[in-house]
Amino acid sequence: MTTHSTQEVERRGFDDPDDVRDFEHGRAEVLEMAGGTIGRLVLHPGWRWSQDVKPIAGTEWCEAPHFQYHVSGTLHVQMSDGVEFDVGPGTVTSLPRGHDAWVVGDDDVVLVDWYGASDYAKRH
């Protein structure tokens, strides 16, 4: 017996994003699909939000909340309340507004972000 889906299927890859936002030491690749936005952030060694994205955002701390899966590399996060921690591959994070972050080590950090990508590093 063959079954057919009555819903529209979307299948996309980051090799053909709807938008690419380049910034110093990295880029955000954005897909618009299924009524939402998903982003892949590729952050190179030397990237730090407060140096590379803050001038674009114009805020003291990153005000984009994130819900991310960490594919590779190590990211150090500093919350505005002083809490700090490292995040590595295989970890899922839910970060509220008010943070800084930077790449630790010599490997690229790659993140898939289901929540904070819509306006991330978007020039207005």
Side-chain angles (χ1 to χ4, degrees):
M1 180 161 119
T2 303
T3 59
H4 298 279
S5 175
T6 58
Q7 299 175 355
E8 184 177 330
V9 173
E10 290 185 69
R11 190 178 77 151
R12 305 271 314 274
F14 285 106
D15 56 338
D16 187 25
D18 294 306
D19 191 12
V20 176
R21 302 175 196 146
D22 292 305
F23 43 85
E24 193 70 27
H25 296 106
R27 70 183 178 279
E29 303 160 341
V30 181
L31 296 176
E32 302 287 342
M33 59 186 295
T37 303
I38 184 171
R40 178 170 67 178
L41 299 166
V42 180
L43 310 172
H44 305 302
W47 176 87
R48 183 172 182 149
W49 183 90
S50 57
Q51 296 170 352
D52 299 322
V53 183
K54 179 179 178 175
I56 298 167
T59 58
E60 186 64 25
W61 297 91
C62 180
E63 295 298 326
H66 299 283
F67 184 52
Q68 301 172 319
Y69 174 72
H70 296 253
V71 177
S72 63
T74 301
L75 190 69
H76 186 83
V77 178
Q78 178 184 15
M79 302 303 297
S80 60
D81 66 4
V83 172
E84 296 188 42
F85 52 92
D86 286 341
V87 182
T91 305
V92 175
T93 56
S94 176
L95 295 178
R97 303 176 197 286
H99 56 272
D100 190 7
W102 54 92
V103 172
V104 175
D106 297 325
D107 296 323
D108 284 350
V109 169
V110 178
L111 310 162
V112 178
D113 195 336
W114 283 272
Y115 192 72
S118 58
D119 289 324
Y120 191 83
K122 194 174 201 176
R123 298 182 192 278
H124 296 281

